[in-house]
Amino acid sequence: VTTVGVLPPDVRYVDAHCHIDLFADPTATMRSAREQAIAIVAMTNTPSVFRRMEQLACEFDNVFCALGLHPELVAERHRELPLFNELAAETAFIGEIGMDGAKGRAELPRQRRALDEMLAACRPGRKHILSVHSRRASADILEAIAPGFPGIVILHWFSGSLAQAQVAAERGWFFSVNLAMTRSQSGKTLISRLPRDRVLTESDGPILLSEGRRGGPADVVSVVEYLGAAWGVGREEAREQVLHNFERCLRASHASAP
Ligand code: MN
């Protein structure tokens, strides 16, 4: 495991948003991804599981552990914010954080306060790489993470409007796209509009996909294949583009490391 973001030289693919700790067998999942040369950014949904994720990943050079507090867990777990503040200095990777308005807007003010606190914890010393959830709250996220925010922002499974995507792209933000997005009309339309140099791939595994199987890191190979066709460049060029985009995130983060 690495917290500074050094990519093994043989890595070919990136899963920029995966919940390794929620798989039935996290070690087997990471081992299989290593064999397929897939780098993984392993989300955590609450700060108290970050250390355990680090332990799980300690033998894997392709896994980066991210520190997170999922917006849907803010109400229950906001007492872990001090722990988030403490751990934020130790890792370049943050996620899953964000806001979620799918169950109504009542929880959004509390989610916003927690997000503001976590963003403030990210400022000192280094540029963090953030994987951000924004379901039914894309306008809120564009407001919460101000244009000059000194970190690398990756919008995970973005489902806001094309206009909002454009605003995010103009700010230099990235987008991690997954298999579900390549199979929905809105997702396909979004992907067709994104600047290619801002596109990353993700699985959001082990979420249940529509056809009854669970997502996992290997999904990113199919996503890359889709991107190759959508961009009209073929699979290999799309793979290189996505990997290059992820390397740019890592370099931007390194350049600021203490
Ligand atoms: Mn997720």
Side-chain angles (χ1 to χ4, degrees):
V1 67
T2 169
T3 52
V4 291
V6 179
L7 213 51
D10 61 325
V11 156
R12 294 168 56 78
Y13 296 94
V14 57
D15 182 350
H17 185 112
C18 182
H19 296 268
I20 287 292
D21 62 341
L22 302 183
F23 281 82
D25 190 341
T27 301
T29 306
M30 290 185 284
R31 185 171 297 132
S32 168
R34 187 69 192 86
E35 285 162 9
Q36 296 167 90
I38 301 169
I40 297 170
V41 186
M43 298 295 114
T44 53
N45 283 342
T46 184
S48 57
V49 300
F50 178 74
R51 290 287 188 218
R52 171 164 159 71
M53 185 59 237
E54 280 193 322
Q55 282 163 12
L56 282 172
C58 66
E59 67 182 272
F60 292 98
D61 62 356
N62 59 320
V63 179
F64 307 110
C65 296
L67 169 68
L69 175 54
H70 194 287
E72 292 180 293
L73 289 174
V74 162
E76 186 187 320
R77 299 295 188 125
H78 63 274
R79 285 173 200 83
E80 292 185 29
L81 281 168
L83 182 59
F84 184 100
N85 289 333
E86 192 184 313
L87 295 172
E90 294 187 26
T91 177
F93 298 88
I94 301 292
E96 178 164 3
I97 61 168
M99 296 175 74
D100 189 300
K103 289 177 184 145
R105 297 192 60 84
E107 276 299 318
L108 289 177
R110 181 167 25 199
Q111 290 178 11
R112 173 63 190 270
R113 285 194 299 276
L115 180 60
D116 286 348
E117 189 172 335
M118 292 188 280
L119 294 172
C122 289
R123 283 169 197 271
R126 78 196 312 171
K127 271 191 179 179
H128 288 83
I129 299 169
L130 283 61
S131 186
V132 179
H133 176 116
S134 58
R135 182 170 58 170
R136 300 277 176 98
S138 18
D140 305 82
I141 288 296
L142 285 169
E143 187 187 291
I145 308 178
F149 176 76
I152 298 114
V153 178
I154 303 169
L155 292 172
H156 133 72
W157 200 338
F158 185 74
S159 56
S161 70
L162 295 174
Q164 288 166 333
Q166 190 177 342
V167 171
E170 283 165 4
R171 292 182 186 180
W173 296 5
F174 289 79
F175 298 79
S176 56
V177 303
N178 59 37
L179 206 52
M181 295 170 77
T182 69
R183 292 173 180 177
S184 78
Q185 194 47 59
S186 58
K188 289 178 188 178
T189 304
L190 174 73
I191 290 168
S192 75
R193 302 290 187 87
L194 295 176
R196 289 179 201 178
D197 63 354
R198 300 299 167 62
V199 175
L200 299 169
T201 48
E202 63 160 59
S203 68
D204 205 12
I207 197 171
L208 194 61
L209 296 173
S210 50
E211 61 275 40
R213 60 174 270 274
R214 294 196 178 275
D219 289 352
V220 300
V221 177
S222 307
V223 177
V224 159
E225 190 156 350
Y226 175 87
L227 291 173
W231 292 341
V233 299
R235 176 205 310 214
E236 185 58 15
E237 196 173 326
R239 185 191 68 72
E240 283 176 3
Q241 175 76 61
V242 170
L243 192 62
H244 179 68
N245 295 344
F246 186 59
E247 285 168 343
R248 277 180 21 244
C249 293
L250 297 181
R251 272 203 304 275
S253 177
H254 277 165
S256 68

